[in-house]
């Protein structure tokens, strides 16, 4: 006789647990992968970028722009390769968002030091990044996944454009105002996407409370 509780439902549960275990094993079996190496490269480029931006020498704008764009490119490549090749690891999940924030924050703070970006704008943008990171950590601790919205992706793209233009500020001539304009766009998108993310998190929490009788 079959054991009590055995049946299709039980078999499906066991299969689901086995599949989950296999996925976790796959994650842990690729600690250092190409995407992780690219993420580490992005972090290592940050101090070099800061030194270049804050040092006076001929052509530093071009060198700084090249370093920043290479670092920003690794942000796209590591995520693309990880998803395409199935090389998502726990280490990569931890390092990738941290590397992004380190790069963007370091570049923006360097621009403040150079007098090319208002401090209050940079503080607002950087504060938004850390606030969203905290919110994501809280959501993850409650087993909630809040997908990135289009506004957040636009913010990231505008941030790269704004920093690039501000690095080249003294080389743009009559178009130098484009850097400040792009930074305003980044600020608006940062605030909007931050509010949107907070709202979506609140909606998720409300739905979770409605489904959980113990929460009422």
């Amino acid at each position: 006789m079959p054991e009590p509780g055995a049946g299709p439902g039980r078999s499906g549960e066991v299969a689901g647990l086995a599949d989950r275990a296999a996925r976790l094993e796959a994650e842990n079996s690729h600690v250092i992968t190409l995407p992780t190496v690219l993420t580490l490269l992005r972090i290592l480029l940050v101090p070099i970028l800061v030194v270049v931006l804050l040092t006076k020498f001929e052509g530093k704008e071009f060198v700084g722009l090249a370093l920043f764009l290479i670092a920003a490119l690794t942000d796209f490549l590591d995520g693309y390769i990880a998803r395409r090749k199935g090389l998502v690891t726990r280490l990569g999940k931890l390092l990738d968002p941290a590397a992004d924030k380190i790069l963007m924050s370091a570049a923006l703070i360097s621009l403040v030091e150079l007098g090319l970006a208002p401090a209050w704008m940079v503080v607002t943008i950087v504060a938004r990044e850390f606030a969203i990171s905290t919110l994501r950590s809280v959501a993850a601790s409650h087993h909630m996944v809040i997908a990135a919205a289009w506004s957040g992706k636009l913010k990231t793209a505008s941030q790269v454009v704004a920093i690039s233009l501000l690095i080249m500020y003294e080389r743009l001539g009559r178009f130098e105002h484009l850097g400040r304009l792009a930074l305003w766009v980044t600020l608006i998108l940062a605030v909007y996407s931050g509010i949107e993310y907070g709202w979506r998190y609140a909606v998720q929490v409300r739905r979770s409370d409605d489904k959980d009788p113990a929460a009422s």
Side-chain angles (χ1 to χ4, degrees):
M1 293 179 63
E3 295 181 3
R10 184 69 174 177
S11 300
E13 182 180 352
V14 172
L17 290 173
D19 182 60
R20 182 180 178 186
R23 289 200 304 269
L24 290 175
E25 183 179 356
E27 283 189 347
N28 292 327
S29 65
H30 298 92
V31 178
I32 301 299
T33 61
L34 178 57
T36 303
V37 171
L38 290 173
T39 301
L40 292 172
L41 174 62
R42 182 155 75 257
I43 295 175
L44 292 175
L45 284 175
V46 170
I48 302 174
L49 172 65
V50 172
V51 169
V52 168
L53 292 178
L54 299 183
T55 303
K56 293 183 178 180
F57 62 90
E58 183 63 28
K60 76 164 190 174
E61 296 90 352
F62 297 102
V63 177
L65 179 63
L67 287 171
F68 175 71
L69 291 179
I70 290 172
L73 180 62
T74 64
D75 181 23
F76 167 77
L77 288 177
D78 61 8
Y80 176 80
I81 294 173
R83 290 187 298 270
R84 187 72 181 269
K85 302 295 184 180
L87 298 176
V88 178
T89 66
R90 292 181 179 179
L91 180 61
K93 289 179 180 179
L94 291 172
L95 285 181
D96 184 57
D100 298 342
K101 289 169 181 56
I102 292 171
L103 172 63
M104 297 301 176
S105 298
L108 287 169
I109 292 170
S110 298
L111 293 172
V112 172
E113 178 68 20
L114 293 170
L116 298 176
W120 72 270
M121 295 179 75
V122 170
V123 167
T124 302
I125 294 170
V126 172
R128 179 265 182 204
E129 297 297 328
F130 285 96
I132 296 302
S133 292
T134 302
L135 204 57
R136 281 177 176 160
S137 297
V138 173
S141 68
H142 290 85
H143 307 288
M144 291 187 296
V145 178
I146 306 175
W150 65 267
S151 58
K153 296 176 181 179
L154 281 179
K155 185 272 305 178
T156 301
S158 69
Q159 204 168 28
V160 172
V161 172
I163 292 173
S164 298
L165 290 172
L166 288 170
I167 289 175
M168 297 299 295
Y169 183 83
E170 296 183 0
R171 300 280 184 168
L172 294 178
R174 60 178 180 170
F175 297 106
E176 62 184 16
H177 65 280
L178 292 177
R180 296 287 176 85
L181 179 61
L183 189 61
W184 271 103
V185 173
T186 298
L187 176 66
I188 293 170
L189 287 172
V191 172
Y192 174 81
S193 62
I195 294 173
E196 182 185 25
Y197 194 92
W199 173 258
R200 294 171 67 188
Y201 171 75
V203 170
Q204 286 271 42
V205 170
R206 182 176 300 177
R207 288 176 180 173
S208 177
D209 290 343
D210 290 342
K211 291 179 181 179
D212 185 5
S216 58

